[in-house]
Amino acid sequence: MIEELNILITGVGGQGVILMSELLGQAAIEEGLKVRGSEILGMAVRGGPVVSVIRIGDGVFGPLIPEGKCDIMVGMELAEALRNIAYLSKSSLAVVNSRKILPYTVSLGLSPYPSYEQSLEKLKEAAGQVVVLDGDRLAREAGSLLSANIVMLGALLGTGRVPIKPETLKEAIKERFPRQAEINLKAFELGYTACRQGAGKSS
């Protein structure tokens, strides 16, 4: 029995944020858990901000997380994690991919992009714990940069805070990617192990 667990996944279009929430939701349902969720998509399909919410538990009724009530944030990109910092509190855990994807406004010199150090400092001020992983490097190690989102799903379960068995989520991954199962399962394991070992752990 779990009353309420609020997970927010954020990134940009093309990083597979929605797919992550679909796989997580499918696995939660397979475990017999009550699930609610929603997505917010940016103006651009590729490169625009994407936020997906998964709420798990018997005490969950609405699809949205109130500000300050996010238990776990998974950030596929540093600046997008900062964009959603209002959802964090000192009881929150942020699991963040260190990758930077510069918006077109930054490339044109119209707006600044925060440094890695600034981003990490602000996340540490907002959340009780921050774990930073080089998800892209682990995805390449698995065999495909496209599997970075699966790396971060593995890291999410590696936190030990999600009431879903890793085997259940791996089955969902195999069903979704029957031809790329080997790469994606390796990506999941690399992310899971890295988080369990505290790779890149901060605060």
Side-chain angles (χ1 to χ4, degrees):
M1 294 287 290
I2 180 168
E3 185 66 17
E4 182 178 329
L5 179 69
N6 296 318
I7 301 170
L8 186 146
I9 306 173
T10 181
V12 300
Q15 287 190 297
V17 169
I18 304 302
L19 175 61
M20 293 169 71
S21 64
E22 289 175 351
L23 290 169
L24 193 60
Q26 180 182 339
I29 291 170
E30 289 293 329
E31 294 275 1
L33 299 168
K34 180 181 174 182
V35 183
R36 294 289 184 271
S38 66
E39 290 87 32
I40 302 170
L41 305 178
M43 292 296 289
V45 174
R46 183 169 293 274
V50 181
V51 176
S52 187
V53 170
I54 293 290
R55 308 188 73 199
I56 300 172
D58 293 333
V60 171
F61 298 97
L64 300 178
I65 300 175
E67 288 191 359
K69 296 296 184 180
C70 175
D71 296 300
I72 309 172
M73 173 192 284
V74 180
M76 288 295 297
E77 200 275 341
L78 271 172
E80 293 305 319
L82 286 182
R83 190 192 298 273
N84 293 279
I85 205 168
Y87 290 98
L88 299 175
S89 72
K90 284 301 182 181
S91 63
S92 303
L93 165 63
V95 183
V96 185
N97 183 10
S98 59
R99 184 180 186 188
K100 292 183 179 181
I101 299 178
L102 299 182
Y104 76 93
T105 52
V106 174
S107 301
L108 293 175
L110 301 177
S111 62
Y113 188 98
S115 69
Y116 174 85
E117 291 76 17
Q118 289 173 326
S119 301
L120 186 58
E121 182 180 356
K122 289 184 178 298
L123 285 171
K124 288 168 66 175
E125 288 174 357
Q129 184 180 0
V130 179
V131 176
V132 182
L133 302 176
D134 189 343
D136 286 23
R137 179 185 63 80
L138 293 174
R140 290 190 185 94
E141 186 178 335
S144 172
L145 181 57
L146 296 176
S147 66
N149 58 340
I150 306 300
V151 168
M152 297 305 290
L153 268 184
L156 173 61
L157 259 63
T159 66
R161 297 196 187 187
V162 181
I164 297 173
K165 298 182 184 68
E167 293 75 16
T168 305
L169 190 45
K170 286 191 283 187
E171 284 300 319
I173 291 169
K174 286 193 288 186
E175 288 179 15
R176 189 65 176 259
F177 302 105
R179 295 183 179 179
Q180 295 86 30
E182 183 177 352
I183 288 174
N184 284 293
L185 291 176
K186 184 176 181 180
F188 180 91
E189 290 291 350
L190 287 170
Y192 182 89
T193 301
C195 193
R196 296 291 284 183
Q197 293 176 347
K201 189 174 181 179
S202 176
S203 84

